[in-house]
Amino acid sequence: MTQLTHRRRFLATSAAAAIAVCSAGPVRAADAFRIGLIAPLTGPFASTGKQLEAAARLYIARHGDAVAGRQVELIVKDDGGNAEVTKRLAQELIIGDKVQVIAGFGLTPLAFATAPVATQSKTPMVVMAAATSSITESSPWIVRSSFTVAQGVAALADWAAKNGIKRVVSLVSDYGPGVDAEKFFNERFVARGGTIVEPIRVPLRNPDFAPFLQKVRDAKPDALFAFVPAGVGSALMKQFSERGLDKAGIRLIAEGSVTDDDILDGMGDVAVGVVTSHHYSAAHNSPANKAFVEAFAAANGGRRPNFMAVGAWDGMHLIYEAAKATGGAGGEALLNAMKSQSFESPRGPVQIDPATRDIVQNIYIRKVERINGQLWNREVDTLPMVKDPGKTKP
Ligand code: PHB
């Protein structure tokens, strides 16, 4: 008998004994369905953690704090964006708090560091934020509710080639999703007849964009294609303008993380006209999204949800629906019940591909516009139900 079966039998027997003693009564914490949410709530990527936590809490507030007859307990931990801490917190949540599922993962290295913990403990792991294609291949226990960077950027390369852009410099953060952005944008753009004048990679932590942007200015491409993770786009946009790239006639096109809805409105006029591709805009025109944006703002002092919030909201939906389908069981049953779900998200229709455990979703081409005095990513074109093109294994 495996250790896990032992533990389940033990829990089942002691639960039955407890019920025999106190016949009826309030739902006891021992029976709680526990979700461990690990996110960067402090440090340079705190905006991601705050969006994830706010959306997970909102989901519970709107859908009830009980599922399959069990009390839902959300245990939130701050990893500060440090992969060693993420891994340790995951171990503590699984062994100490006995969570049924671990969730969150604000950056790629944090997800990779934790994947072996999910595998060894046979704990479902819902990646709500990190977006490097190969993450889902690092553990069979991972399901992703966010997106992949590779999923969106090919559509942007097509848009650029069709819209008179011929020479591009690419500038990406030098880690997993940036490398994916560079590969999938640049290869597609070249296949469409474009030229990559120079691929530039900048450090993930504390990047000073100025010297890199000076190089871009000197190279005089038609456009700069950029990827930086959520929260960092403001600094890039500010220096793009300070270095006079806009005045020099260089267009900015980007992976949608750059015009992150959480910070977009503070970027000012330099952002107007920037074209991006992504899976979620707070301006997405659907009743489900309007309700989501309104509820999020009401619960968070007027703050706008970004794509991190929608990743957490949908990740909670996967967990709740799976828990309902399995009667609150954890482990493999919970994982399997998450693997083939499809539903209407605030971002549009979504589906988990059971073969890859990755999300299939619409990709939108968006343009930053000032609407009623505020900056928004307005969707101008839709590519329906795009699969991640970046899997390395067949
Ligand atoms: C990642 O680290 O995978 C990541 C984080 C933020 C983004 C995109 C990708 O906006």
Side-chain angles (χ1 to χ4, degrees), residues 25-62:
V27 186
R28 282 155 306 120
D31 283 343
F33 184 86
R34 294 193 183 83
I35 303 167
L37 179 73
I38 316 173
L41 292 163
T42 52
F45 302 102
S47 70
T48 290
K50 290 187 176 137
Q51 288 272 345
L52 291 173
E53 179 181 4
R57 291 201 186 284
L58 181 65
Y59 191 91
I60 295 171
R62 305 292 282 201

Side-chain angles (χ1 to χ4, degrees), residues 256-257 259-262 264 276-286 288-290 292-293 304-311 345-348 361-369 371 375-382:
S257 303
T259 58
D260 168 2
D261 272 301
D262 197 15
L264 174 62
T276 59
S277 59
H278 224 210
H279 59 289
Y280 178 67
S281 163
H284 179 66
N285 190 8
S286 74
N289 186 51
K290 286 207 170 88
F292 174 63
V293 172
R304 217 188 263 185
N306 71 0
F307 58 97
M308 295 302 185
V310 92
S345 153
R347 66 184 103 175
Q361 58 191 332
N362 292 349
I363 292 298
Y364 306 93
I365 299 288
R366 309 99 48 84
K367 196 174 203 172
V368 176
E369 288 180 7
I371 303 167
L375 297 179
W376 295 92
N377 290 297
R378 189 170 75 80
E379 292 168 359
V380 293
D381 199 7
T382 305

Side-chain angles (χ1 to χ4, degrees), residues 106-109 129-132 135 147 149 175 177 227-230 257 307-308:
L107 293 158
T108 285
T132 299
I135 286 173
F147 68 112
V149 161
Y175 78 123
F227 164 78
V228 294
S257 303
F307 58 97
M308 295 302 185

Side-chain angles (χ1 to χ4, degrees), residues 22 81 117 125 196 214 222 224 229 249 330 345 352 356 386:
C22 49
V117 178
M125 168 169 168
I196 299 296
Q214 189 57 48
D222 298 322
L224 172 68
S345 153
I352 301 298
T356 61
V386 178

